[in-house]
Amino acid sequence: RGTQQPDGSWQRYPGITALAVLALVRGGVPPSDPAVVRGAAALARWSKPNGAIYTDEFGPAQALPNYNTALAMRALHATGDPRYRDVVRNAQRYLERSQFDEGEGISRSDPRYGGIGYGSREDNPDLSNLQHALEALRETGHPADAEVFTKAIVFLQRCQNREGSNDQPWRGNDGGFVYASSGESKADEYTRRPHSSYGSMTYAGIKSYLYCNVSKSDPRVQAALRWIRQHYTVKENPFMGTDGLYYYYHTMAKTLAVVGDRVVVDARGRRHRWAIELSDELIRRQGRDGAWVNSNRRWREDDKDLVTCYAVLALAYCEQGL
């Protein structure tokens, strides 16, 4: 509440504003609360005629229309305000059009097929942006049998280190996920090995499969869950250390809440009540001012607004897992 700006936004940026609105609502603040109402109104003002929700105030490199649209439409939907239904519907159509597919002359054999990227700054799709888009579409009631989900599965398979489903030559076979279908992995700089699976993307891959109506019992999901059991931790982002730590916490909590299991049994047979362990770790890390922040600056995690949103949302998902 204390860092909301007079125009209703947080930092005049859609993504952070959307996460703040979501954190307030999921954290128990009524949608009628002035902070929520003003934040949602700010998001709606950024809506573009093509359905995207973003601002280019900070230059094209920070516009990131797909990323900002996915977060903003979730926040507007979460308020339950009927005034934003058309904005959300237009955003759904925009995200569908942003998928790499036949509309851009991209065939199924292209590694980019089925993916979604930032929409600016980069022309290549990635698992992080795809998971945000799929989550936004499912949360806002987009039809579960829509082609966007079927096409996304093709891209997801190509981000997973699994020989039975990934047709790319770089693939490994540990069941975890990398950042992009090209084999790009942010963990390689730490493992000194190419195409390394890591924590946050493996949770993102599991969640995305489930949003695409792939069953939890499916071999692709089970392979990723085995990777999680082998590398389960609430102390770091596996194979990334403190890089993107709170993004990891947020993604971990949401994924395990969607999976629906209250206990994770690790590779040594130890039982983990993940919601209790993760919430305890988050509470331990909270600052005296109520905020969270990462001492590691990578991916803007030195930003208290952003990281506090991640933490509050993670705690809200932990409540579902108790």
Side-chain angles (χ1 to χ4, degrees), residues 274-289:
W274 66 267
I276 294 174
E277 293 180 4
L278 179 53
S279 57
D280 283 349
E281 182 65 19
L282 285 165
I283 292 166
R284 184 185 70 79
R285 291 176 176 270
Q286 188 177 24
R288 291 184 178 181
D289 62 353

Side-chain angles (χ1 to χ4, degrees), residues 111 155-162 166-173 176-185 194-197:
F155 185 82
L156 291 171
Q157 291 179 158
R158 289 169 171 165
C159 291
Q160 186 175 17
N161 272 308
R162 183 174 182 272
N166 187 341
D167 61 5
Q168 298 303 293
W170 59 263
R171 68 188 183 278
N173 200 36
F177 279 78
V178 299
Y179 180 70
S181 58
S182 62
E184 179 186 355
S185 170
H195 324 305
S196 300
S197 302

